[in-house]
Amino acid sequence: MGLKTGREYIDSLRAWGLEAQVMGQAVRDLPGHPLISPSLRAVAATYDCAHDEATRALFRVVSPLADQEVNRFTHMHGSPEELISKVKMLRHCGGLTGCCFQRCAGMDAANAVFNTTFEIDRERGTEYHRRFRDFWAQVQRADQVAAGCMTDPKGDRSKRPTEQADLDLFLRVVERKSDGVIVRGAKLHQTGMVNSHQIIVLPTMSLRQGEEDFAVCFGLPTNAPGVHFIYGRQASDTRKLEGDGLDVGNPVFGGQEVMTVFDDVFVPQERIFLNGEVEFCGRLVERFAAYHRQSYGGCKVGVGDVLIGATALIARMNGVDRASHVRDKIVEMIHLNETLFACGLAAAALGRATPAGGCEADLLLANVCKLNVTRFPYEIARLATDVAGGLLGTMPPARALDDPVTGPYIRKYLAAAEGVEVVDRMKVLRLIENLVAGAGSVAYLIESVHGAGPPQAQRIMIGRQAGLEAKMARVRRLLKLS
Ligand code: SF4
């Protein structure tokens, strides 16, 4: 089967027949729902890029697993060069959509599971890696989307999983059978979940002896019995229901976050990739985090490109693009954005071969990349807000343009540089608002802090990976200390 187009992907998802609770109501036609369709189009764009003459070489790669050409979003990266191509691909998608295009958590989770299951099998004589390869080759051949599923609710954060008042606050195995396991629990913040065909569930953190029931990793179709989806809200989301594209900010694309509930779900043996081996959970979680933290050096940079472009455009529309302080602020935005890209590329360039034949990003630089991502988009957003002006937070709604009384006033008093259409100026301002304070800020700002782990998680990893003892030893040698 050839690679799907965006349209074929949407058709395949419609045939998948998922149902979700959206704004308190059961919705069956998810692809047709106006709150969801912008996020679906963003995923569809990742399919169309594999057909676009300008990008198909970047988006297509031959996979040894499926023994055929696949979309790079389903690829197991085998070299630093392939990791670099991943970052470039993500930047392209971020710049194209101006939002989260949702496919990377699954790609990053798959790469982490691919490499870690190989090591579990080698050390424990299990057959998880063979199972995962079979599962993933099917995903590749069908050109499907998989959602990476990691964050448990965690309940009382001061307590371990076994100490929680409700043990289901960490997803767990509640029954072991001869042909599989039954799992119960929930996963939060699931990016792109109802736009996905498959789920890859990982443990949420390192685990200890006695916590074996929580040490479970598996793959499942999203339409498996007992899996329930509760669609998350985003700031200004109901603007998508208003019909006209102007107030929504990004009229074509958007992101998606879902709470996923596993209500006694059966996972067949062939889809279990870790079952009780607590000592491998930390490795699996760290690997996923490193892949995903490095990914942010691509996707957030692409969205940053959109925000920088919109800021430069509004400066021109306002007639201030030649002011030296405005030029300086835009250069600062570019500097911050390219620093993130450089971190993503550097983590890829120093990637290491894994025993499974994959390639993992440099752990230290991937964490430095993500820690910068928790800060720089906020500064870029602050500068965009500064340059755009206060109208960003006070502009009248698009509907007022059609009112016979208010419409002429708006066109008269929101006029700016000569030759600029008022509605065009409003569109650019709404796009900036979308990214710094509206629905798009979920992916560009909040997710930049908490996605792939909050800043403290990166600080811990940076502290561990920095080789402080070696640095001190170097000073000792230099100073000839005892
Ligand atoms: Fe991909 Fe970025 Fe969205 Fe994560 S936040 S899924 S890396 S686009």
Side-chain angles (χ1 to χ4, degrees), residues 90 99-105 191 292 295-296 299-300 447:
L90 302 190
C99 69
C100 167
F101 36 90
Q102 310 146 52
R103 258 188 114 172
C104 333
T191 304
H292 206 48
S295 290
Y296 278 29
C299 83
K300 303 300 179 200
E447 204 175 70

Side-chain angles (χ1 to χ4, degrees), residues 80 152 193 223 259 377-378 423 450 470:
D152 289 347
M193 176 59 80
N223 56 9
M259 175 176 171
Y378 279 85
V423 171
H450 289 289

Side-chain angles (χ1 to χ4, degrees), residues 307 377 380-382 384-385 392 431-438 440-441 444-445:
L307 186 52
I380 294 170
R382 188 187 71 79
T385 305
L392 197 60
L431 176 60
I432 296 173
E433 182 207 21
N434 171 273
L435 289 170
V436 306
S441 70
Y444 190 55
L445 299 178

